[in-house]
Amino acid sequence: MTSIAELKTHGLKLFATGKILPALQLYDAIVAQHPMDYEARLRVADCLAALGQPEDSDRVFRAVAWYTMKSGHPLTALVIAKIIEAAGRPADDLHTGLVMHYGSESALVGNYAARIKLPEPDSTVTAPDLQAGPPDDLLRAAAERAATCTDDFDEYPGALHAMPLLSGLSEEAFRRVLSTIVVRRMADGQLAIREGEPGQSFFLVATGKVRVVDIDGLGRERDLAVLGENAVFGEMALLSSQPRSASVGVVGEADLIELTRESLNSLADELQQVATALHNFTRERLLSNLMARSPLFRPFSKVQQRELLRRFTEHDVAAGTDIIHENDEGRGLFVVLSGELEVFKGEDTALASLRTGDVYGEMALIRGGETSATVLALTPATVLFVGKDYVQRIVRGVPPIKE
C-alpha cells in the first residue's frame, strides 16, 4: 500500500518525462479506489489527451468540470473550460453552469456553504505493478472510470462558497471575465511571479499550492506563506503599479488562473468594486499570515487574534512621509501593507528596509520611552496601525507577548 500523495508525485514525474501510460496507470488506480479525487481524474484526462485520445479526454474533462462545479471547486471547472477551448472545442455550457451556480444572482451561493473535500493525501492506495506493463484495455477502462465514477453521487452541498472576486460581479461582467482569463498549468518550482518585476496581472489558485518568498535586507530568502485553492496573489503590484514585493513559485504542480490588465479593462464599469475586493483580500491575508508566523502574536488565542485584526486601521502615506520620528513617544504598532519604507538613525544612518508584512513600532511600546529610529516612506505606501493604548492593554493581559 502507498499514499495518494506518493502516487501523485510519482505520476507527475512520469508524465513530465513523457512516460504517459505508466502515469495513467497510477492516476487510474487513485480514481478506482478514491473516486472523489477530482485532481486524479483531471490528470487522467491530461494523460488521455497526451496519448492522442481527444474524444475520451473531452468526455472526462467535462465530467470532472461538472463534478467540481457542483461540489464547491469552481476554479477547477474554470481551468477545464479553458483547456477544452484551447483544444478547439466549445465550452459555453460550462461557462453558463459557472454563472448559474456562482454568479451574483445564484441562489446556491450562501454564507453557510460547504465543499466536498479531496481525500486526505495520506489515504492509502493499492499501487499497480508498473513493471508488468499496462493492461491492454487501459485507455478505455481509465476513460470510462474517470468519466462515470461520480454519476450516481447526489450528496452535493445545498449551498456553495462564492468564487473569489467573480461571484460579486454582475452576470454580464462575469461572462466578460471568463473570456479574458489565462490558465497557467505549472510544474514544481516554476515561478508565477518574480520579486521586483512590474505587476501586469494577478492570480487565483485553482489546484495545488504555491510558496511565497521574498529576500530580506541581508539577501536571505524568507518564507512568507504557502497558498492553496482559492487564494489570490499578485494583486497589489497590479493595482498600485509598484514592483512585485515577493516571488511566488509552485510546490509540486498547480493550475493557476491569471487575470491580466485586459481582464480588468473588461470590467471598467465595475472596476472599483473589484479593486476594493482585491485590496480587502490582501489586507486580510497579510494580517492572518502575520498572526500565524510572528512570535509577537503567537501567545494570542484565536479569539484574541480576531479581535486584534478588527482593531487595525488603514492609512495611505505619500513618499517622503516620516511615519515614526526618532525620539518621539511611541504611538502604536504598524504593519506595512504595501510600498517600501526605510528605517534610519540620525540623518543618514540607514538601518533597514521595510516591505509588505513587516512590523515596526512595537519596541518603544513594550520597553516604554522614546522611539529609537525614524521610519520614512520611500514610495507611496499603505500601513496598518493599532494604537498604543490597546497594545499596552493586551501586553498586560497576555504577559508572554512582552517576552
Side-chain angles (χ1 to χ4, degrees):
M1 302 288 281
T2 187
S3 70
I4 287 178
E6 290 169 330
L7 280 196
K8 285 183 177 179
T9 299
H10 193 188
L12 171 63
K13 292 177 180 177
L14 291 170
F15 189 92
T17 55
K19 299 173 182 177
I20 310 301
L21 277 174
L24 177 59
Q25 282 184 266
L26 296 183
Y27 291 127
D28 179 51
I30 297 173
V31 174
Q33 297 167 64
H34 297 277
M36 313 307 282
D37 194 323
Y38 62 85
E39 288 185 350
R41 295 172 69 193
L42 178 56
R43 302 312 170 204
V44 167
D46 288 332
C47 289
L48 292 169
L51 290 166
Q53 305 292 315
E55 293 184 2
D56 283 340
S57 66
D58 184 80
R59 183 184 175 207
V60 176
F61 276 133
R62 290 179 188 276
V64 178
W66 283 106
Y67 171 78
T68 53
M69 199 184 304
K70 292 188 289 184
S71 65
H73 305 276
L75 295 183
T76 300
L78 183 48
V79 166
I80 293 171
K82 284 297 180 180
I83 293 171
I84 290 173
E85 289 178 332
R89 299 184 295 271
D92 295 345
D93 59 327
L94 299 182
H95 286 178
T96 298
L98 284 163
V99 172
M100 295 298 291
H101 282 77
Y102 293 92
S104 58
E105 299 179 12
S106 171
L108 291 171
V109 174
N111 293 328
Y112 300 100
R115 59 173 58 93
I116 300 172
K117 295 182 179 180
L118 284 164
E120 292 298 325
D122 59 358
S123 300
T124 57
V125 181
T126 301
D129 181 4
L130 298 185
Q131 299 300 321
D136 292 340
D137 65 343
L138 174 63
L139 272 64
R140 180 201 61 78
E144 180 68 15
R145 189 174 358 258
T148 64
C149 63
T150 55
D151 281 0
D152 295 330
F153 182 79
D154 59 3
E155 298 178 12
Y156 292 107
L160 299 168
H161 293 279
M163 291 178 73
L165 307 175
L166 302 180
S167 288
L169 302 175
S170 67
E171 180 176 329
E172 180 185 354
F174 196 140
R175 289 184 180 274
R176 288 201 304 268
V177 170
L178 292 182
S179 68
T180 63
I181 64 170
V182 177
V183 167
R184 304 289 185 194
R185 312 198 73 192
M186 306 185 72
D188 186 43
Q190 281 189 282
L191 289 181
I193 62 176
R194 189 183 300 273
E195 184 176 357
E197 291 183 344
Q200 301 297 330
S201 60
F202 69 95
F203 296 81
L204 309 176
V205 181
T207 69
K209 294 181 179 179
V210 297
R211 174 173 168 252
V212 185
V213 301
D214 72 354
I215 305 301
D216 68 15
L218 299 176
R220 299 171 300 192
E221 188 173 87
R222 178 174 59 170
D223 284 309
L224 300 179
V226 174
L227 308 176
E229 182 185 1
N230 293 325
V232 180
F233 66 90
E235 72 283 358
M236 283 307 296
L238 175 63
L239 295 175
S240 66
S241 299
Q242 297 293 321
R244 302 286 194 193
S245 61
S247 296
V248 180
V250 170
V251 180
E253 61 180 336
D255 292 321
L256 307 179
I257 294 170
E258 182 178 15
L259 287 90
T260 63
R261 289 194 184 278
E262 178 190 0
S263 303
L264 293 182
N265 290 338
S266 75
L267 298 173
D269 52 338
E270 300 184 36
L271 185 57
Q272 185 56 50
Q273 176 183 342
V274 174
T276 299
L278 285 171
H279 190 79
N280 290 338
F281 265 105
T282 301
R283 183 185 191 277
E284 294 306 312
R285 184 180 66 235
L286 172 69
L287 289 174
S288 296
N289 289 341
L290 181 65
M291 293 293 173
R293 72 172 189 269
S294 172
L296 184 63
F297 302 111
R298 201 167 292 146
F300 284 88
S301 69
K302 294 296 183 184
V303 172
Q304 291 169 325
Q305 288 185 356
R306 284 195 296 270
E307 174 64 16
L308 181 57
L309 288 176
R310 191 177 65 81
R311 295 279 180 166
F312 276 97
T313 57
E314 189 172 311
H315 306 271
D316 295 323
V317 295
T321 302
D322 283 351
I323 300 171
I324 292 178
H325 295 277
E326 185 177 353
N327 298 324
D328 281 358
E329 182 181 358
R331 292 184 291 127
L333 182 70
F334 297 82
V335 180
V336 184
L337 181 61
S338 65
E340 186 174 356
L341 283 58
E342 185 175 43
V343 183
F344 61 92
K345 196 170 183 63
E347 295 186 0
D348 54 8
T349 304
L351 301 179
S353 294
L354 303 174
R355 288 179 288 181
T356 298
D358 286 333
V359 180
Y360 57 99
E362 76 280 8
M363 295 311 299
L365 301 182
I366 293 174
R367 292 176 176 169
E370 300 175 344
T371 57
S372 59
T374 294
V375 178
L376 170 75
L378 295 181
T379 66
T382 300
V383 298
L384 304 174
F385 171 77
V386 62
K388 75 172 184 179
D389 290 344
Y390 184 72
V391 175
Q392 289 173 339
R393 189 161 78 247
I394 60 177
V395 167
R396 289 194 298 268
V398 189
I401 293 174
K402 188 167 186 177
E403 296 174 17

